Amino acid sequence: MSLQRRVKEPALKCPVPLNAWSDGAQFRGDHRAEITALMYRFMFAMDFGDRDVFAQCVTDPVLWDLSSNAFPLSGGPADKAPVELGRKEFVALALPEAHHDDTTYVQHDISNPFIVFTGERTADILANVQMRQFRYGADSSGVQTAQRLELSGYYSNTVELDEGRWRIRALRLTMRGFDPAELAAAAEARLRQEAL
């Protein structure tokens, strides 16, 4: 099934200054590697449902912002406006127990991480993201079913050196290129499947 946009989305505007070239003093190669590894760690923690690692990837509190999307992604407060949450509350909302079970496989891929240092202990990171979710089950007659949902977009995060470790201070996710009607249908089908 091809995806078509049925909701008018605002024009894209890059959230970080792409012309912020690093001079020798700002390059900080080790820090760049650590920040990139933080994003990879964050993605794998989501994929494998590791809430302990997921929690350690963010500051306490953390700003969560999904409000730039044309369609609600989480069903939580961050869909409407940026919200600051304690670490435990963020993990409970962003990575709920039902997100991972033996019927669901999730995969997040990030690419093109672009890092701009904004201070001695802060940086912004822009990275493309693709998410695929596969859900397996059976309908009411016992016929095996499989659902696939694929989204793409970008993270525009602020990271902070916190207790000697880079962590996400502000998590901003913008998803593009999906059909909200198809996303709603997939969510509804998932709820029906969970009710069986």
Side-chain angles (χ1 to χ4, degrees):
M1 175 186 296
S2 65
L3 297 178
Q4 298 181 11
R5 292 182 182 170
R6 297 181 188 168
V7 173
K8 184 174 172 131
E9 296 175 337
L12 285 176
K13 183 178 177 186
C14 187
V16 300
L18 294 178
N19 62 348
W21 303 101
S22 295
D23 59 27
Q26 193 187 25
F27 180 72
R28 305 173 187 168
D30 290 344
H31 288 297
R32 287 183 186 278
E34 283 296 318
I35 292 168
T36 303
L38 164 67
M39 292 302 297
Y40 293 150
R41 187 178 297 113
F42 183 76
M43 298 293 129
F44 279 121
M46 278 196 286
D47 290 349
F48 293 104
D50 190 326
R51 286 163 184 77
D52 292 334
V53 170
F54 189 75
Q56 290 304 310
C57 289
V58 300
T59 59
D60 190 3
V62 59
L63 182 78
W64 192 24
D65 184 6
L66 305 175
S67 63
S68 62
N69 295 286
F71 187 79
L73 291 179
S74 72
D79 287 332
K80 297 176 183 171
V83 60
E84 193 163 78
L85 301 168
R87 184 180 282 154
K88 286 184 180 180
E89 185 181 7
F90 168 73
V91 172
L93 289 171
L95 196 59
E97 293 286 340
H99 189 67
H100 289 83
D101 57 30
D102 59 0
T103 66
T104 305
Y105 171 71
V106 183
Q107 180 181 344
H108 293 83
D109 296 319
I110 63 167
S111 60
N112 301 340
F114 182 78
I115 299 165
V116 176
F117 288 97
T118 55
E120 288 298 314
R121 304 173 61 83
T122 58
D124 290 331
I125 177 168
L126 178 68
N128 292 329
V129 60
Q130 287 191 317
M131 186 277 284
R132 297 171 200 79
Q133 183 182 59
F134 303 90
R135 195 165 182 88
Y136 305 95
D139 64 18
S140 57
S141 62
V143 175
Q144 293 295 312
T145 60
Q147 299 165 354
R148 175 178 172 162
L149 178 63
E150 188 163 348
L151 304 174
S152 62
Y154 62 89
Y155 278 104
S156 173
N157 296 342
T158 297
V159 296
E160 178 179 293
L161 197 56
D162 176 46
E163 298 179 349
R165 180 183 295 178
W166 286 99
R167 302 182 205 271
I168 299 168
R169 174 64 186 94
L171 182 73
R172 303 176 193 93
L173 175 61
T174 300
M175 301 306 283
R176 297 284 176 171
F178 63 88
D179 176 352
E182 187 173 332
L183 181 59
E188 185 178 323
R190 184 180 70 190
L191 291 175
R192 282 199 308 269
Q193 183 66 35
E194 289 172 351
L196 294 179

